[in-house]
Amino acid sequence: MGVDLKPSAKACTSVKPLMNGSRMLVEALKREGVEVIFGYPGGAVLTIYDALYDGGIPHILARHEQGCIHAAEGYARVTGKPGVVIATSGPGATNLVTGIADAMLDSLPLVVFTGQVATQVIGSDAFQEASIIGITMPITKHNYQVRDVSELPRIIREAFHIATTGRPGPVLVDIPKDVSNAMGWFDDQAEVRLPGYQPTVIPHRMQIRKVLDAIRAARKPVLLAGAGVLHARAQDLLREFAERAQLPVVNTLLGLGSFPASHPLFLGMGGMHGSYAANKALYEADLLINIGARFDDRLTGNLEHFAKSATVAHIDIDPAEIGKNVPTDIPVVGDAGEALKMLLEEGPEPGDAAEWLAELGEAKRQRPFWYHDSDQELKPQRLIQMIHEITRGGAIVVTDVGQHQMWAAQYYPLEQPHRWVTSGGLGTMGFGLPAAIGAQLGRPDALVVAVLGDGGFQMTMQELALLKEYNLPVKVIIVNNQALGMVRQWQELFYQGRYAHSIIPNLPDLVKLAEAYQIPGYRAKNPSEASEVLRRALAEPGPVLVDCWVTPGENVYPMVPPGKGLHEMVGVTP
């Protein structure tokens, strides 16, 4: 690997320190306040890793690049700070793609650095070359390829600015290895140059007043709160607004925790596996106020039937989301927190919705989530309830994707924000374990419980190594039904029980697997065993894995079948 000792011509007049691009990168990351880097080295980033060797920023060596980026997502979710990832060119970069797409759909701030082959050979199919810029263009908020070392400080500053302002999202910076080797003058005062990027943060006051007028006129209002409220750290404003306007509140999957689950105005999660009361409110409302959600199809069901009688007000910082899926009567572009402040300043007044609130309250009482319990078999719902009881509802809960994810959303009511880490939009299996690692690193003071399915766990289970290596006290609870549970459920309900490749044969002994990574492992096969080992595991000071064998054929109910409206839920009652 050659090192170009000639400083960049564009920077020769500067009086700033002379250093190579890799050292610039480290200094720029320190300038941005980066606390931890998730990464995996390789040929195109060796100079960068040499700079990291004594660069002063902790680096977490995951066992696969997918582990790096999901860990960065978990860190970003609980801290609100950008997760930083470094990987090499070619396969290192492409192994990040799933996580980048996941962060894009769930609006998580990431800054991802990839190595690239030298500029002179880009496009020649050089060893470990992949066009990561072309590959990630549709799944990043923005991406850069650095062609001159003098541009590096400015680009890094812009990458962090874009990732964390407006609607958060992933930004990728691709650095050819001759650029990371090249010498240049480090400009630590580099400024953001993005005249075309001006997110609208403050909403238009006239539109805010239209929302309040609609509330006063409504008889059946509902407030839908999504992850945008959490990104804006606006949960207290949301609660005050709902209470003053007397609005029933529904959360999206990613918005859970933005409103206290025990609050009398809370109806639960809406959507495919949401509560009856929440979906009834979304279906029958005459006013739907959406704050910080994007009307995902898993929330709306068949759009033909969604909120058909409602005036729709949509508050979102991303104007592209407004009217994209659901026609909007009152569009409000702006930050959720700023919008809620303005709504409160204007003096929200409740409409005549007392009868509606009583009706929804009765629906909530009459038709809660249900399951048939057993003393012989461990029902997954009861397992989640046990975890909630033992942790007193105070854990940061991280899930993978599938049935266990929905049961955790249903049976672990959240009273506080930023305690729910899951993959919503992309539905990424393999997300859970590394995301829990990132969450624990971001919140070392918190109890982090990873609720995982046996299928998703096996996609990234090699990251168990990090729990021991960094002594992270994550409690890994496997909801083990020896199947790809949600796939099996759909095959049972919609494919005549033809279980094509959804039952997992030859499942490894997960307790022995944990022990192979020097982590204590426990197993439970019935409720009494589960209660005992969960209490023991949660009392352990370090990482623990608990393999819980639950009823294999259990399904998640209620459910809105694919293609149906929210009013066509099945399994609402036993």
Side-chain angles (χ1 to χ4, degrees):
M1 182 181 300
V3 177
D4 182 0
L5 294 176
K6 296 178 182 177
S8 165
K10 291 184 181 178
C12 283
T13 56
S14 172
V15 294
K16 304 298 181 183
L18 181 65
M19 59 184 73
N20 68 18
S22 297
R23 183 61 63 185
M24 281 188 196
L25 171 60
V26 174
E27 292 302 318
L29 295 181
K30 290 162 73 173
R31 178 187 62 189
E32 298 294 338
V34 172
E35 299 173 320
V36 61
I37 297 169
F38 303 91
Y40 204 101
V45 291
L46 280 178
T47 308
I48 293 174
Y49 270 80
D50 186 64
L52 286 172
Y53 183 76
D54 53 2
I57 305 176
H59 176 279
I60 303 299
L61 175 64
R63 298 303 186 261
H64 190 285
E65 288 87 354
Q66 187 177 358
C68 299
I69 198 150
H70 293 326
E73 288 186 276
Y75 172 86
R77 176 72 76 185
V78 300
T79 66
K81 301 172 185 176
V84 176
V85 178
I86 296 178
T88 192
S89 65
T94 57
N95 282 342
L96 298 174
V97 168
T98 300
I100 295 172
D102 192 273
M104 185 68 177
L105 276 177
D106 287 355
S107 305
L108 293 176
L110 299 184
V111 180
V112 179
F113 296 94
T114 50
Q116 186 54 276
V117 300
T119 52
Q120 300 90 334
V121 295
I122 288 177
S124 69
D125 294 332
F127 176 68
Q128 290 194 330
E129 180 187 4
S131 176
I132 197 64
I133 293 296
I135 292 168
T136 60
M137 190 170 291
I139 55 170
T140 51
K141 190 174 176 184
H142 193 62
N143 61 22
Y144 293 90
Q145 187 170 73
V146 186
R147 289 300 186 117
D148 190 301
V149 69
S150 68
E151 297 177 337
L152 200 50
R154 173 184 59 80
I155 286 175
I156 294 171
R157 176 143 281 178
E158 289 180 359
F160 278 85
H161 178 72
I162 293 170
T164 56
T165 54
R167 178 179 178 171
V171 177
L172 183 139
V173 180
D174 193 38
I175 307 176
K177 64 181 180 181
D178 57 314
V179 173
S180 58
N181 291 342
M183 300 297 289
W185 307 99
F186 177 60
D187 180 4
D188 67 353
Q189 302 300 315
E191 296 181 352
V192 171
R193 298 177 199 165
L194 298 166
Y197 175 71
Q198 301 289 337
T200 300
V201 175
I202 306 298
H204 197 291
R205 194 167 288 273
M206 289 302 295
Q207 296 302 96
I208 290 291
R209 289 172 179 161
K210 287 182 181 178
V211 176
L212 296 177
D213 289 342
I215 293 172
R216 282 189 285 271
R219 296 294 180 269
K220 293 185 173 183
V222 63
L223 182 59
L224 174 66
V229 175
L230 295 169
H231 292 314
R233 298 303 203 251
Q235 57 277 354
D236 293 339
L237 296 170
L238 176 73
R239 177 173 179 166
E240 184 179 352
F241 174 59
E243 289 176 344
R244 286 175 61 181
Q246 281 299 286
L247 298 170
V249 178
V250 172
N251 269 156
T252 64
L253 174 68
L254 291 178
L256 289 171
S258 64
F259 200 81
S262 62
H263 197 286
L265 288 171
F266 188 60
L267 301 178
M269 179 179 73
M272 179 171 281
H273 294 292
S275 72
Y276 172 77
N279 284 346
K280 172 184 169 68
L282 292 173
Y283 178 69
E284 297 181 13
D286 65 1
L287 172 64
L288 169 56
I289 304 170
N290 174 350
I291 301 183
R294 59 185 180 83
F295 286 130
D296 176 85
D297 61 298
R298 284 292 174 104
L299 171 80
T300 65
N302 188 330
L303 282 170
E304 184 182 345
H305 305 293
F306 181 73
K308 287 179 64 176
S309 304
T311 296
V312 176
H314 191 170
I315 300 169
D316 204 297
I317 199 165
D318 185 351
E321 289 296 339
I322 296 177
K324 185 179 80 176
N325 296 327
V326 174
T328 302
D329 303 289
I330 309 173
V332 183
V333 179
D335 173 78
E338 296 298 331
L340 285 163
K341 280 182 198 171
M342 204 174 282
L343 285 162
L344 290 167
E345 287 169 3
E346 291 290 330
E349 297 173 9
D352 183 11
E355 188 176 332
W356 171 241
L357 288 172
E359 183 181 339
L360 293 175
E362 191 61 19
K364 188 175 167 184
R365 283 187 292 274
Q366 292 291 328
R367 297 184 176 180
F369 295 123
W370 63 270
Y371 65 96
H372 295 296
D373 203 0
S374 166
D375 289 333
Q376 283 73 48
E377 293 183 317
L378 179 57
K379 293 298 180 90
Q381 301 94 329
R382 186 169 178 183
L383 173 63
I384 302 297
Q385 288 177 317
M386 285 181 187
I387 298 170
H388 181 265
E389 178 191 342
I390 296 169
T391 61
R392 299 179 181 177
I396 291 177
V397 178
V398 185
T399 80
D400 210 84
V401 168
Q403 286 182 314
H404 69 279
Q405 178 190 31
M406 294 298 110
W407 283 316
Q410 293 176 339
Y411 291 94
Y412 198 100
L414 295 162
E415 297 296 319
Q416 298 178 50
H418 312 298
R419 292 178 180 272
W420 176 244
V421 181
T422 197
S423 171
L426 199 65
T428 302
M429 289 181 67
F431 170 89
L433 178 58
I437 290 166
Q440 188 72 82
L441 287 162
R443 287 288 310 278
D445 58 319
L447 170 62
V448 174
V449 176
V451 179
L452 314 176
D454 50 294
F457 170 68
Q458 291 185 82
M459 287 188 169
T460 50
M461 63 185 182
Q462 73 280 357
E463 306 303 345
L464 281 176
L466 301 187
L467 298 182
K468 180 65 179 179
E469 181 176 348
Y470 296 101
N471 194 30
L472 301 174
V474 175
K475 313 306 176 190
V476 180
I477 314 294
I478 309 296
V479 184
N480 189 343
N481 57 7
Q482 302 95 53
L484 306 176
M486 193 61 86
V487 176
R488 187 207 54 74
Q489 177 170 335
W490 281 51
Q491 289 173 336
E492 176 184 323
L493 298 178
F494 311 118
Y495 293 88
Q496 297 79 48
R498 292 159 54 85
Y499 301 120
H501 308 289
S502 59
I503 310 302
I504 299 178
N506 301 321
L507 193 69
D509 185 323
L510 300 183
V511 171
K512 289 182 178 176
L513 181 75
E515 291 169 352
Y517 284 100
Q518 303 174 60
I519 295 170
Y522 303 104
R523 179 171 292 118
K525 294 184 177 181
N526 58 52
S528 61
E529 288 179 356
S531 177
E532 180 186 341
V533 299
L534 282 175
R535 291 178 192 282
R536 194 187 313 163
L538 288 163
E540 293 260 2
V544 181
L545 183 147
V546 184
D547 180 21
C548 298
W549 288 30
V550 300
T551 309
E554 195 74 6
N555 288 337
V556 184
Y557 288 118
M559 178 182 190
V560 178
K564 301 294 185 181
L566 297 183
H567 63 300
E568 297 173 286
M569 296 179 81
V570 298
V572 173
T573 54

